[in-house]
Amino acid sequence: MRDYDYSDLKDLATDADHKAAMLDLLIEFDKFCETHGLTYYLSGGTLLGAVRHNGFIPWDDDVDVNMPRSDCEKLMELSGGRIGDFELMPPNESQRYFAYHWKLYSERILIAKRTKGGIGGKVYPIFLDIFPIEGLPDTPELNREHYDEIRRRKDRVRHARNVRKYRGRNPYRILRNRVASRIYRSIGVRPLFDKVIEHATSIPFEDADHIGVMMTNVHTTEERVVKSEYAPVIRLPFEGHDLAAPAGYDTYLRQLYGANYMEWLPVHKRIPRHDFVTFFPYGPGEKPRVLDERVEGGDAAITDDDEMQDELE
């Protein structure tokens, strides 16, 4: 996947265009998994949309699935990095689009993050997030320790990538941040990334009674579920298609969104989580035009999934 910038943006896409592109990703992904016997589950807001709306939550702007890590790895091996017209990107494959999970990209729609008065500098194709499901400890207390260690190791990777974590004015914390960044940059991203994965996979999915996703900061320890209740696959209607979901979706959604998850949010809270602006890209042979200069304080050109998720907490 090539890098994108402002010169690649053409006309604004509508919400319908955005959702159609996301649905195309989901359907192609589902077909591939069905053909090759791979297990996945709609997850997060996408699963909530299936249960409550039989499709997308009207104000949602992304699409998520969970998948046992071993199936994520098989997906990459079997697909060779392409599923239909879409590119599958494994974790830590691209510095520009850094992530701890797999992403399936569609270059039919480009997205940028909205800022005050315009959009920031991050431009990238619309995507499907594929989060690996790991084996987890048997008690909530041990699970919290397990997750905290993952988070500490991920912080070291952020220092190695020079993604500054502290943005305040405390001189002690500024100094500590600079020292940590220097130390971990000397070690390098790959060894520290491997340490994150080593701990995340220390309890095999196949042997665990409890499972969950640990590679996202939006939902953390509340993702932990009983495997025997969650794992059987059912099919739920989604925008006119039947897609895979966990049999234990009720417990999972209660843990993420509360006991009243079937109730719609108040009108003032019905807003997109990421606040993306969507565009059609220029086609082959089309002449790019330069858009207005980015707004003051716009984002840097490198995107970091952890950083985006941290902002949402």
Side-chain angles (χ1 to χ4, degrees):
M1 179 178 62
R2 71 180 184 84
D3 291 342
Y4 286 91
D5 57 32
Y6 269 28
S7 66
D8 294 298
L9 302 182
K10 188 180 181 183
D11 300 320
L12 278 169
T14 66
D15 181 65
D17 296 324
H18 187 176
K19 285 186 167 56
M22 292 194 297
L23 184 61
D24 287 345
L25 282 166
L26 258 180
I27 298 308
E28 197 68 33
F29 174 77
D30 174 76
K31 288 179 181 177
F32 190 91
C33 291
E34 282 283 288
T35 298
H36 295 281
L38 301 176
T39 298
Y40 82 92
Y41 310 92
L42 299 180
S43 65
T46 309
L47 177 59
L48 177 59
V51 173
R52 193 171 68 191
H53 303 272
N54 292 333
F56 291 111
I57 296 174
W59 53 90
D60 206 0
D61 61 356
D62 70 344
V63 59
D64 301 325
V65 301
N66 291 348
M67 194 175 207
R69 180 174 286 274
S70 59
D71 280 353
C72 291
E73 293 166 350
K74 291 176 185 175
L75 177 73
M76 194 71 219
E77 180 182 353
L78 291 168
S79 69
R82 299 291 303 183
I83 297 178
D85 295 331
F86 310 129
E87 182 171 3
L88 182 65
M89 184 75 71
N92 194 27
E93 182 70 18
S94 168
Q95 180 72 7
R96 182 176 169 89
Y97 303 97
F98 183 86
Y100 285 94
H101 58 280
W102 285 255
K103 284 176 168 286
L104 185 63
Y105 285 100
S106 169
E107 297 182 292
R108 298 174 187 174
I109 295 283
L110 301 181
I111 55 178
K113 193 172 182 181
R114 194 184 308 274
T115 63
K116 291 183 179 179
I119 60 174
K122 300 174 183 176
V123 177
Y124 41 98
I126 196 171
F127 53 85
L128 162 68
D129 282 324
I130 306 168
F131 293 104
I133 308 174
E134 323 283 6
L136 297 178
D138 286 331
T139 69
E141 294 76 19
L142 289 174
N143 192 63
R144 168 50 66 181
E145 293 177 11
H146 182 73
Y147 175 75
D148 287 346
E149 178 60 23
I150 290 173
R151 190 66 181 264
R152 282 190 289 270
R153 295 185 184 205
K154 289 172 75 174
D155 281 347
R156 295 165 193 162
V157 174
R158 296 193 68 195
H159 282 300
R161 297 183 61 243
N162 204 28
V163 179
R164 188 176 60 184
K165 188 170 181 61
Y166 178 66
R167 296 180 174 87
R169 297 183 178 181
N170 182 306
Y172 168 73
R173 294 192 65 182
I174 291 173
L175 178 61
R176 187 176 66 178
N177 184 84
R178 289 177 178 172
V179 171
S181 294
R182 179 171 296 182
I183 291 171
Y184 293 120
R185 284 203 306 270
S186 70
I187 296 173
V189 172
R190 171 55 67 178
L192 294 169
F193 174 89
D194 289 345
K195 288 292 185 181
V196 176
I197 304 305
E198 178 183 61
H199 191 74
T201 58
S202 59
I203 303 173
F205 174 91
E206 293 74 17
D207 300 336
D209 293 326
H210 294 82
I211 58 173
V213 170
M214 293 284 104
M215 291 295 106
T216 170
N217 295 338
V218 177
H219 303 133
T220 59
T221 55
E222 66 269 27
E223 288 261 2
R224 177 176 172 270
V225 291
V226 177
K227 183 170 69 175
S228 60
E229 297 174 1
Y230 173 92
V233 177
I234 63 173
R235 307 286 287 189
L236 293 177
F238 192 97
E239 302 294 344
H241 303 267
D242 288 336
L243 300 180
Y249 68 80
D250 180 66
T251 298
Y252 172 84
L253 291 176
R254 285 173 182 269
Q255 291 176 188
L256 266 59
Y257 302 109
N260 298 324
Y261 68 81
M262 289 299 289
E263 297 180 6
W264 284 45
L265 291 174
V267 174
H268 69 281
K269 292 186 177 181
R270 298 175 190 176
I271 55 177
R273 185 166 64 92
H274 298 97
D275 203 13
F276 289 136
V277 187
T278 55
F279 298 86
F280 290 110
Y282 279 98
E286 289 188 294
K287 184 178 179 180
R289 58 185 171 85
V290 178
L291 298 186
D292 293 339
E293 186 176 346
R294 73 182 62 177
V295 298
E296 185 177 353
D299 295 322
I302 295 177
T303 186
D304 185 313
D305 268 28
D306 257 9
E307 185 176 43
M308 179 180 292
Q309 291 164 1
D310 287 344
E311 292 170 358
L312 297 169
E313 291 185 327

